[in-house]
Amino acid sequence: MIIPLSSLKIGMDGIIVRLEFDENVKERFIAMGLIPGKKIIYIHESPFGDPMVFKIDDNKIMIRKNEAQKIFVEVTNEIFSLDEASPGQYEIFFIKGGIFFKKDMESLNLYVGKQINVLNNHRGKVTITINGKQIIFGKGRAKKILLKKE
């Protein structure tokens, strides 16, 4: 699946497929290491979502979101937030948020690598089961939990 770089979630990676800039602007990005065929990983989100920080090889680069919309990558594993999940089995990939949110999730037995079962999703209000126990998440909390499909 080919998507814009701006659509990646934290921790997701992809292979650069193409850059849709004018030639003089494209050269600047190629000089930064954004070369088709290279693997790129989204590693950090700024507080307001712009700029975005990526890693190519051992280098970290910052790119404005409007620029990242013009760079396309092919992703092999799709990662999405809990509020976007349809019923099925998932593995928790990443939990966004502060220390209190993460501790709250640990008290619910939710941590990175944990397998969960999504029972239903009604406009972002998600019901999951863990160890036979049902938990309901509102859309705000569900957005902070990133999943990958089993």
Side-chain angles (χ1 to χ4, degrees), residues 14-28:
I15 304 294
I16 299 170
V17 175
R18 68 180 183 271
L19 291 83
E20 293 186 353
F21 296 103
D22 294 333
E23 284 302 316
N24 58 347
V25 177
K26 187 188 280 186
E27 287 177 17
R28 181 171 61 95

Side-chain angles (χ1 to χ4, degrees), residues 38-109:
K38 283 275 193 176
K39 182 178 179 179
I40 188 166
I41 305 168
Y42 183 28
I43 58 169
H44 182 71
E45 181 178 59
S46 297
F48 297 107
D50 196 19
M52 304 168 80
V53 180
F54 298 92
K55 186 174 181 183
I56 298 177
D57 296 328
D58 291 332
N59 301 318
K60 292 180 184 174
I61 57 171
M62 290 194 315
I63 302 174
R64 293 266 172 221
K65 199 167 201 163
N66 63 349
E67 295 169 332
Q69 292 170 342
K70 296 178 181 177
I71 300 166
F72 291 86
V73 293
E74 182 166 4
V75 294
T76 53
N77 61 345
E78 188 177 1
I79 296 170
F80 43 89
S81 59
L82 180 59
D83 69 312
E84 300 168 332
S86 55
Q89 295 285 328
Y90 297 91
E91 179 181 321
I92 296 175
F93 179 77
F94 186 76
I95 298 176
K96 295 193 292 187
I99 191 165
F100 293 114
F101 182 73
K102 288 179 180 175
K103 282 189 175 190
D104 187 30
M105 294 300 105
E106 285 177 10
S107 70
L108 296 171
N109 203 15

Side-chain angles (χ1 to χ4, degrees), residues 83 101 124-125 137-145:
D83 69 312
F101 182 73
K125 186 175 180 180
F137 285 93
K139 192 170 187 170
R141 293 175 67 182
K143 278 184 177 242
K144 296 179 178 181
I145 301 170

